[in-house]
């Protein structure tokens, strides 16, 4: 469903992604790990269509469509969802109003009737249960004054409402307490279907105990330098990244 | 170049929606302004001598005055002798009620989406429609008169309720108050008059709709609202004008009088033609609005959504004379392209325990300039006066300007005055976040801006709030995607 080939991207002339290739098939969960600054969020942003990043080489196909040609909103409407590492605050706009606008624009794109207030509210209720989010939080302005964990939970709630085909979770686990982590992971697992793909960016193998990945990739200096099974995450937890760095420099010499 | 700017370049401005005009036969004063013009207007309106004298006094004073130069706006000098000061649509005969108004005129209002036909009218709002210089009809008169509420055109009030007009006209905004108020006092043509008797809670919103249609004609209307003891009224004002290349002058005066325990809520959605995207044409909007909380425990609340006009100069104010009286000012002012707005309020605390609250939200886009100018004055006698001011500015792109000029003048040491100000930019981050959820940039901006202005929009009556939200989005359409 997602096919990334030799993707290069730079920001303000500085190359950040230096040739990434990745295939994701329906139903698969891919974890991406890697040291700070290695380009994980950059990859997520490029996939979501952030315009600051310039794609200098490579291609990305999503469900057979050239993703790089679509506007950010059309990517979202095609089913790409990014749970942000740093969710943005929008003062004065309630989550409900925001999500209803989003849902109805997505529906319009897909040629579906807009949801009326009643139908939308029942959809909200159903998904609220799923991610155990407090109604009070949703009547407040979007992310304004939310705690770090609340913001992350809200991202997963939005994901639940929008039901994407490709979900990219950028460090959704950082800042969550143990209970919230379980709730979020549980939400993600429940939303997983045979058709959906998931990319989980994380620093901690702990999350992968709950969201079990089919593959683990290590991103280093803008490249995927190692891929493996879930065990790779355990190995990283144990040994850190140095051995990978050495391996990389060993092979390039 | 940032994303904001790129989108700024990309989109062209949305055309002004109400930019059409209609040909109709009109009664017009000769161009120019002399004592004879004023006599002409006064006799046309069959006014009593005291009113003519009042006008002439204002005119003579105006001639000695200088046009103010302190506002943070610039425009070519206005040639007051090149303007026409009165233009009235010719009616076959004087209408005695709304059903007799010339159907051609009613059509103009239908096109604006304002039906004057009482049956069709939204329940709960009475409308007085002013076209160019005169009121063309007031709805719901009978319902209101049963309660003793007077809601009619200013001219009619002069004829039917001369004592009330004589007593209150100029009592809040003296004819010599400022340059534009003096000009208005000399040449005002019509407007709305509203009187709420003791103890009456006006059961419906009262609304005036102003429209300029004729070319080269200034519009000078006057509104006078009198709320007796323990009465309540909510008053709405809306306005549009056709799209013309020349600038047109609008100089209105609004006076509000609130007696003991009276409450007046005055809401404006101002949508005069702002000029095209190159800054050509548009209305010069120089307005004096002032209310006096004359009685103890009275309250006056101004809410304004300013989206139109090429130049806006406007400071709705409250004189808090009665003890425990309350003044409020809620404002959203949006400027785009080459628009300039210098707006704000004055809160003058005279009585004890008087309280005022100012919430101003400026939004600037394009190459526009948006200034907040506010004065809080606490007089000697005003023990325990309280003021809270919140002035926020939102910038879109980097070619516009936002300015804040707060003046604080305190003569009583028990006063508590708080002022908070913020300036922010609409963030690429916010727009991208919306995009990522499937919302296009244009709607993202509308969401963000409406969220930003929410505290003010919440003050508006429901139907008006919806209209105002759409208007904000429309005004900014084409500024940021
Ligand atoms: N405007 C910019 N100019 C130059 N470099 C930039 C710019 N923006 C980001 N970078 C760099 O791009 C690199 C990749 O950043 P990215 O946010 O993708 O890392 P990450 O892998 O998500 O890290 P973390 O684990 O800390 O979240 C970093 O070194 C960062 O400093
Ligand atoms: Mg990151």
């Amino acid at each position: 469903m997602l096919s990334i080939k030799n993707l290069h991207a730079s920001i303000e002339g500085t190359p950040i992604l230096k040739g990434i290739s990745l295939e994701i098939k329906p139903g698969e969960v891919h974890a991406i790990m890697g040291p700070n600054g290695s380009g994980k969020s950059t990859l997520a942003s490029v996939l979501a269509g952030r315009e600051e990043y310039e794609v200098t080489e490579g291609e990305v196909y999503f469900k057979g469509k050239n993703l790089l040609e679509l506007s950010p909103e059309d990517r979202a409407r095609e089913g790409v969802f990014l749970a942000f590492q740093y969710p943005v605050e929008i003062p004065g706009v309630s989550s409900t109003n925001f999500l209803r606008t989003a849902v109805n624009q997505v529906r319009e794109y897909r040629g579906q009737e807009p949801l009326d207030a009643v139908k939308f509210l029942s959809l909200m209720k159903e998904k609220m249960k799923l991610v155990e989010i407090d109604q009070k939080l949703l009547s407040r302005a979007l992310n304004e004054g939310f705690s770090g964990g609340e913001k992350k939970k809200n991202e997963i709630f939005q994901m639940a409402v929008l039901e994407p085909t490709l979900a990219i979770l950028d460090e959704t686990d950082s800042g969550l307490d143990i209970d919230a982590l379980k709730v979020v992971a549980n939400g993600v697992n429940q939303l997983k279907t045979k058709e959906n793909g998931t990319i989980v960016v994380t620093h901690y193998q702990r999350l992968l105990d709950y969201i079990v990945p089919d593959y683990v990739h290590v991103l280093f200096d803008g490249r995927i330098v190692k891929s493996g099974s879930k065990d790779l995450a355990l190995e990283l937890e144990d040994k850190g990244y140095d051995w990978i760095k050495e391996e990389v420099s060993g092979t390039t010499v | 170049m940032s994303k904001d700017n790129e989108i700024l370049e990309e989109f062209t401005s949305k055309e002004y929606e109400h930019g059409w005009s209609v040909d109709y036969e009109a009664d017009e004063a000769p161009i120019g302004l002399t004592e004879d013009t004023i006599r002409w207007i006064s006799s046309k309106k069959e006014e009593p001598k005291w009113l003519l004298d009042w006008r002439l006094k204002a005119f003579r004073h105006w001639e000695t005055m200088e046009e103010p130069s302190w506002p943070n706006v610039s425009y070519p000098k206005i040639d007051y002798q090149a303007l026409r000061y009165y233009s009235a649509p010719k009616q076959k005969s004087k209408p005695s009620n709304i059903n007799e108004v010339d159907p051609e005129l009613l059509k103009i209002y239908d096109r604006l989406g304002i039906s004057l036909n009482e049956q069709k009218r939204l329940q709960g709002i009475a409308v007085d429609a002013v076209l160019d210089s005169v009121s063309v009809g007031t709805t719901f008169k009978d319902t209101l008169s049963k309660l003793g509420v007077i809601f009619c055109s200013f001219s009619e009030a002069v004829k039917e309720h001369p004592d009330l007009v004589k007593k209150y006209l100029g009592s809040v905004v003296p004819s010599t108050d400022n340059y534009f108020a003096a000009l208005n006092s000399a040449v005002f043509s019509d407007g709305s008059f509203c009187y709420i008797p003791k103890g009456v809670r006006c059961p419906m919103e009262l609304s005036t709709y102003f429209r300029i249609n004729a070319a080269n004609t200034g519009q000078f209307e006057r509104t006078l609202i009198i709320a007796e003891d323990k009465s309540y009224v909510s008053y709405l004002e809306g306005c549009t004008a056709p799209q013309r290349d020349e600038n047109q002058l609008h100089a209105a005066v609004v006076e509000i009088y609130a007696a003991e325990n009276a409450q007046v809520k005055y809401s404006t959605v101002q949508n005069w033609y702002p000029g095209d995207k190159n800054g050509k044409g548009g209305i010069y909007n120089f307005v004096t609005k002032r209310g006096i909380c004359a009685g103890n425990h009275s309250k006056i609340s101004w809410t304004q959504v300013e989206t139109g006009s090429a130049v806006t100069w406007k400071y709705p104010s409250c004189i808090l004379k009665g003890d425990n009286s309350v003044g409020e000012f809620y404002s959203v002012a949006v400027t785009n392209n080459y628009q300039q707005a210098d707006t704000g309020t004055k809160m003058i605390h005279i009585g004890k325990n008087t309280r005022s609250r100012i919430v101003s939200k400026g939004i600037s886009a394009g190459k526009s300039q948006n200034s907040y100018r506010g004065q809080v004055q606490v007089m000697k006698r005003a023990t325990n006066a309280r003021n809270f001011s919140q002035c926020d500015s939102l910038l879109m792109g980097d070619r516009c300007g936002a300015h804040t000029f707060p003046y604080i003048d305190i003569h009583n040491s028990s006063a508590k005055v708080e002022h908070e100000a913020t300036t922010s930019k609409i963030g690429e981050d916010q727009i991208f976040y919306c995009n990522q959820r499937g919302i296009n940039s244009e709607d993202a901006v509308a969401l963000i801006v409406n969220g930003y202005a929410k505290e003010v929009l919440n003050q508006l009556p429901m139907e008006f709030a919806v209209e105002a939200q759409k208007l904000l989005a429309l005004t900014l359409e084409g500024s940021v995607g």
Side-chain angles (χ1 to χ4, degrees), chain B residues 41 56 82-83 101 114 164 184 197 206 212 230 252 286 293 321 333 360 388 420 429-430 458-460:
Chain B
I41 294 171
L56 289 170
L83 286 176
V101 174
I114 303 148
L164 281 174
N184 174 289
L206 300 185
I212 297 177
K230 292 192 180 129
F286 303 128
C293 284
K321 185 157 169 270
S360 162
F388 174 76
E420 282 177 15
D429 287 6
Q430 291 174 324
N458 278 349
Q459 298 294 324
L460 292 171

Side-chain angles (χ1 to χ4, degrees), chain A residues 58-217:
Chain A
E59 54 182 41
V60 181
Y61 278 81
F62 175 60
K63 296 192 298 191
K65 283 194 178 133
N66 183 348
L67 193 70
L68 300 177
E69 276 178 355
L70 299 177
S71 67
E73 58 269 32
D74 282 350
R75 295 181 197 198
R77 293 162 183 172
E78 286 288 343
V80 176
F81 180 92
L82 170 60
F84 286 73
Q85 182 174 6
Y86 304 107
V88 176
E89 303 194 0
I90 306 187
V93 178
S94 73
S95 290
T96 316
N97 188 13
F98 173 77
L99 266 180
R100 188 164 171 213
T101 309
V103 165
N104 282 336
Q105 289 209 3
V106 170
R107 291 180 68 89
E108 191 184 333
Y109 180 83
R110 296 178 185 165
Q112 296 163 317
E113 288 287 302
L115 287 186
D116 62 29
V118 178
K119 288 211 185 87
F120 179 72
L121 282 179
S122 69
L123 174 71
M124 291 271 284
K125 282 237 171 71
E126 178 199 325
K127 304 297 182 183
M128 265 155 54
K129 260 196 224 126
L130 192 72
V131 299
E132 299 180 31
I133 196 166
D134 193 347
Q135 165 128 40
K136 272 189 228 129
L137 214 52
L138 299 178
S139 56
R140 277 166 56 183
L142 186 63
N143 289 331
E144 198 185 14
F146 283 23
S147 75
E150 287 169 342
K151 283 182 185 169
K152 295 296 177 72
K153 248 185 155 170
N154 192 24
E155 293 292 289
I156 298 306
F157 171 69
Q158 292 182 24
M159 175 178 132
V161 172
L162 290 164
E163 298 178 333
T165 28
L166 175 67
I168 307 164
L169 312 181
D170 191 358
E171 295 196 28
T172 304
D173 54 335
S174 38
L176 290 181
D177 62 43
I178 303 278
D179 292 341
L181 183 75
K182 282 184 199 157
V183 170
V184 163
N186 188 30
V188 172
N189 286 331
Q190 289 202 47
L191 292 166
K192 226 167 69 182
T193 67
K194 279 202 215 68
E195 284 78 45
N196 294 354
T198 311
I199 298 177
V200 184
V201 174
T202 184
H203 284 295
Y204 307 104
Q205 103 84 25
R206 193 184 58 192
L207 176 70
L208 305 180
D209 284 342
Y210 301 105
I211 305 173
V212 183
D214 299 296
Y215 299 94
V216 174
H217 309 278

Side-chain angles (χ1 to χ4, degrees), chain A residues 48-52 72-73 76-77 80-82 84 88-93 98 102 105 143 155 158 162, chain B residues 3 6-7 428-441 443-444 447-452 454:
Chain A
R50 191 144 195 158
E51 279 165 34
E52 284 83 338
E73 58 269 32
R77 293 162 183 172
V80 176
F81 180 92
L82 170 60
F84 286 73
V88 176
E89 303 194 0
I90 306 187
V93 178
F98 173 77
Q105 289 209 3
N143 289 331
E155 293 292 289
Q158 292 182 24
L162 290 164
Chain B
K3 185 184 171 192
E6 272 175 45
I7 300 170
E428 282 165 39
D429 287 6
Q430 291 174 324
I431 294 177
F432 180 68
Y433 190 79
C434 295
N435 290 158
Q436 212 303 304
R437 299 303 185 244
I439 301 170
N440 65 42
S441 298
D443 289 326
L447 260 180
I448 295 164
V449 164
N450 280 313
Y452 165 79
K454 192 176 179 188

Side-chain angles (χ1 to χ4, degrees), chain B residues 319-444:
Chain B
I319 303 170
L320 304 171
K321 185 157 169 270
D323 291 346
N324 301 299
S325 60
V326 177
E328 289 177 338
F329 174 74
Y330 294 94
S331 169
V332 178
V334 193
T335 51
N336 195 0
N337 299 320
Y338 286 87
Q339 281 179 277
Q340 307 173 62
D342 193 302
T343 182
T345 184
K346 261 189 216 172
M347 294 289 173
I348 301 163
H349 294 255
I350 300 174
K352 293 188 185 67
N353 304 316
T354 45
R355 281 175 295 142
S356 62
R357 181 178 175 82
I358 298 170
V359 178
S360 162
K361 304 268 181 179
I363 302 164
S364 341
K367 295 179 181 163
S368 67
Q369 294 296 325
N370 202 326
S371 303
Y372 166 81
R373 190 181 301 277
Q375 185 176 17
V376 176
Q377 205 172 10
V378 177
M379 306 301 224
K380 240 192 180 128
R381 201 171 74 72
T383 32
N384 289 319
R386 296 275 178 278
N387 162 267
F388 174 76
S389 303
Q390 171 82 46
C391 301
D392 298 328
S393 309
L394 185 68
L395 297 168
M396 305 171 84
D398 44 23
R399 290 174 303 179
C400 52
H403 317 272
T404 304
F405 305 99
Y407 306 94
I408 295 172
D409 180 17
I410 296 178
H411 301 279
N412 184 309
S413 59
S414 66
K416 277 215 179 95
V417 174
E418 283 176 78
H419 180 92
E420 282 177 15
T422 66
T423 300
S424 49
K425 274 194 122 178
I426 212 164
E428 282 165 39
D429 287 6
Q430 291 174 324
I431 294 177
F432 180 68
Y433 190 79
C434 295
N435 290 158
Q436 212 303 304
R437 299 303 185 244
I439 301 170
N440 65 42
S441 298
E442 204 112 303
D443 289 326

